[in-house]
Every structure is written in structure tokens, then in C-alpha cells.
Amino acid sequence: MTVRTEWQAWHEPYADANSPLSRRLRLVQRHIASWLDERSDERLTVVSACAGQGHDLIGVLAARPDARRLHATLLEYDAGNVAAARAAADRAGLSHLVIRQADAGRLSSYAGAVPADLVLMVGVFGNISDADVERTVAAFPQFCATGATVIWTRARRSPDLTPAVRRWLRDAGFVEEAFHAPDDVRFSVGVHRFAGTPRPLDATGTLFTFLR
């Protein structure tokens, strides 16, 4: 099985509305929609790292008449997923979205996409090393505009890294607004608001490398 096929197949559980992946998606979408509702009069910037087929952001924007007030960039390495995301955006009338084939683990990929008002790190932290998670969280102030929101996910397999992630976010200047950890599944979803001072993007080096 090729890497490309593997990452496209990873999306198949979305077809089951009761799968953990679908449940996690609905939580993330709920927070994206709420975030938009709270900023209904603003023009906003969004960046989604390792965006896959864009189910979270595209799924929300497809149902919103105000979608064009967003400047959104989706970063995805897999060519098949990029094609699927672009097709979904076109079907939803969201051709203005920037869907870029790029390695979100490299800081240079974020040039022109940040600072963002919303940063999506969905499906990232469970596929990289703990050290890379810590390094990425520490770099968030380079991605965030003043008062930005970060939505992230991580499976709570043993040993559970989420307490450390929440601590690293606090140390990086973030305030926790929500943390979901359902008892019957391993996924978690965190929502944090940036209360610190944004830093300019240093578009050199690597934040993370996927482990598979």
C-alpha cells in the first residue's frame, strides 16, 4: 500500500456517522461554527495544517452564506487528498479557498498564510513524536494573530500526552476555552485562545515529521 493510498483510506470512517472519527469531526465543526458566529462582522484568516480532504473547514463553510469573508489556506501533502479537497470546495461554491499541496511540517509552508485568526491542528499531534508536538506548540505564536484560536486533536492512548500538550499551550501564552475527552473513545479535542504576543514567522526549518 502506498503512502498516498493510506492517507486517502484514512478518511473512510467518515462515511460512518457513528465512528469516532465522525464524532470528532462534529466536535471540531461545532467549534469552528461557534467561532465564526462570535465574529460575524469580521473578515478572518484561517490556516489548516495537514488538512486532509478538508472535511472540517469545508463542511462548515459549505452551509454558511458568509463563507467568502474568510481567507483560508489548507495545507496538505498528499496529492490525492489535495484533489479531493479541491473538488469538495468547488462543489460547495468555495473556490476561493487556497488548498495548497505542501508539507505542513515545514515552517516555509506557512508563508503568506499566517498570522491567522484560527489555526486548525486536527489529526496532527497523534502522528508525530512528542518532541515534535512540543516544538510545534512552542511555534504557535508565529502562526497566530492577536486573540487567535487554535483547535487541536490528540488520541489519549497510553501514555496520555494531552496533559502535557495543555501545559505547553499555557506556557506558550494560550488560555484553554474547551477540552473534550469522551469516556468511551480515545480522541480529545482542545480549543485554546492566544493571549500572548504574536511573533513574526521564521520561515526556516522543520517543526515535525510524520511517523508513518
Side-chain angles (χ1 to χ4, degrees):
M1 180 178 289
T2 66
V3 171
R4 184 184 68 84
T5 302
E6 176 186 353
W7 286 114
Q8 291 177 56
W10 182 89
H11 290 73
E12 292 175 359
Y14 282 126
D16 177 3
N18 296 316
S19 70
L21 196 60
S22 290
R23 290 175 58 188
R24 189 189 78 177
L25 173 64
R26 288 193 293 272
L27 265 176
V28 171
Q29 288 178 327
R30 189 181 83 195
H31 281 289
I32 294 172
S34 295
W35 178 82
L36 286 166
D37 290 342
E38 291 167 2
R39 295 158 179 81
S40 59
D41 297 326
E42 301 177 46
R43 299 189 66 83
L44 300 163
T45 300
V46 181
V47 64
S48 177
C50 303
Q53 297 178 6
H55 289 289
D56 44 20
L57 188 59
I58 294 172
V60 172
L61 295 182
R64 296 187 67 98
D66 62 347
R68 287 196 169 271
R69 67 189 175 93
L70 265 69
H71 175 75
T73 303
L74 288 71
L75 304 175
E76 169 58 33
Y77 185 77
D78 181 85
N81 284 336
V82 169
R86 287 174 176 164
D90 287 344
R91 287 194 301 271
L94 301 171
S95 58
H96 67 290
L97 300 184
V98 177
I99 301 171
R100 184 186 303 166
Q101 186 175 3
D103 182 354
R106 298 186 62 83
L107 281 160
S108 59
S109 297
Y110 297 85
V114 297
D117 302 296
L118 176 65
V119 177
L120 298 176
M121 283 277 169
V122 177
V124 179
F125 289 167
N127 294 293
I128 64 179
S129 71
D130 294 359
D132 281 358
V133 174
E134 184 175 11
R135 182 180 302 109
T136 301
V137 170
F140 278 171
Q142 297 184 52
F143 300 161
C144 290
T146 301
T149 295
V150 172
I151 301 176
W152 59 277
T153 64
R154 165 75 191 209
R156 289 171 289 118
R157 58 180 175 268
S158 182
D160 184 1
L161 191 68
T162 60
V165 175
R166 297 162 79 183
R167 183 177 69 251
W168 295 334
L169 281 157
R170 183 173 62 250
D171 292 345
F174 289 83
V175 176
E176 185 170 286
E177 295 195 330
F179 181 72
H180 303 276
D183 291 337
D184 61 332
V185 289
R186 294 195 303 174
F187 74 72
S188 60
V189 176
V191 182
H192 282 69
R193 176 177 52 81
F194 185 47
T197 302
R199 300 203 311 263
L201 177 68
D202 177 6
T204 59
T206 299
L207 288 174
F208 59 80
T209 302
F210 265 42
L211 297 177
R212 63 186 180 96

